[in-house]
């Protein structure tokens, strides 16, 4: 007749099935591009105008995403000039094509102050400036006596 094979019993590998739960945190890999003021050493207000050169540090890519920033002159936390809003979204390799030249006009009501702060904010975070630079006001007319 036929042969009949009988198993000798259950082994540990046959009785217990390991289950592994693996979770991966989803993290945003891309960072926002960083603005840089290139003429920081020459920042002076002359004739109620401040000229600022702002460059986007790196090009927009899969690792660097665009950012919308606002630039203005502040006395403490009060805006004392016009506010310029820029979208830093250049994909160019050339730094000269990622450069922005701005003019900030000082309000007449605050032209007597000696110092201001140039602040650059991410529009999504108005509390923490990306850049904060002290600027000298050279439009002051000194008394002769």
């Amino acid at each position: 007749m036929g042969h009949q094979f009988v198993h000798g019993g259950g082994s540990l590998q046959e009785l217990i099935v390991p289950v592994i739960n693996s979770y991966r945190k989803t993290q945003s890999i891309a960072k926002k591009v960083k603005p840089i003021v290139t003429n920081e050493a020459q920042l002076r207000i002359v004739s109620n105008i401040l000229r600022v050169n702002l460059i986007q540090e790196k090009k927009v890519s899969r690792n660097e995403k665009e950012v919308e920033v606002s630039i203005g002159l502040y006395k403490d936390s009060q805006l004392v000039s016009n506010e310029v809003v820029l979208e830093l979204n250049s994909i160019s390799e050339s730094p000269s094509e990622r450069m922005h030249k701005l003019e900030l006009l000082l309000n007449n009501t605050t032209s007597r102050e000696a110092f201001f702060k140039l602040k650059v904010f991410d529009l999504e975070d108005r509390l923490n400036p990306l850049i904060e630079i002290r600027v000298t006001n050279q439009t002051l007319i000194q008394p002769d006596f």
Side-chain angles (χ1 to χ4, degrees):
M1 300 247 176
H3 297 272
Q4 190 174 20
F5 293 97
V6 178
H7 193 277
S11 68
L12 185 63
Q13 293 88 345
E14 294 171 342
L15 297 176
I16 298 176
V17 177
V19 177
I20 299 174
N21 290 330
S22 175
Y23 298 98
R24 182 175 175 185
K25 274 183 148 178
T26 56
Q27 295 179 353
S28 177
I29 297 172
K31 299 179 294 187
K32 293 181 179 180
V33 293
K34 181 178 168 187
I36 298 173
V37 175
T38 59
N39 62 334
E40 184 174 344
Q42 295 91 19
L43 287 180
R44 287 178 205 82
I45 301 171
V46 180
S47 302
N48 287 348
I49 297 174
L50 176 67
R51 289 183 173 82
V52 180
N53 295 333
L54 192 80
I55 190 167
Q56 176 183 323
E57 183 183 34
K58 296 180 182 175
K59 68 176 189 164
V60 172
S61 64
R62 67 183 180 98
N63 295 330
E64 303 278 340
K65 66 180 184 176
E66 65 186 29
V67 65
E68 198 169 6
V69 295
S70 71
I71 301 107
L73 283 172
Y74 290 82
K75 180 65 180 170
D76 299 323
S77 62
Q78 179 185 4
L79 182 66
V80 294
S81 72
N82 61 317
E83 182 180 42
V84 177
V85 176
L86 282 178
E87 195 169 330
L88 302 178
N89 61 358
S90 177
I91 57 172
S92 174
E93 287 284 341
S94 172
S96 63
E97 292 181 16
R98 298 192 310 260
M99 176 80 75
H100 301 275
K101 295 184 180 199
L102 315 167
E103 285 189 356
L104 298 174
L105 304 172
L106 191 62
N107 296 342
N108 290 334
T109 58
T110 57
S111 60
R112 292 254 180 240
E113 298 291 332
F115 298 101
F116 296 101
K117 293 270 181 138
L118 171 70
K119 293 184 181 182
V120 179
F121 290 98
D122 182 347
L123 284 182
E124 294 178 0
D125 181 11
R126 289 277 198 165
L127 294 176
N128 305 307
L130 300 172
I131 298 173
E132 187 172 329
I133 302 170
R134 185 176 177 191
V135 178
T136 305
N137 185 3
Q138 293 187 338
T139 60
L140 297 175
I141 299 172
Q142 300 294 332
D144 291 338
F145 302 101

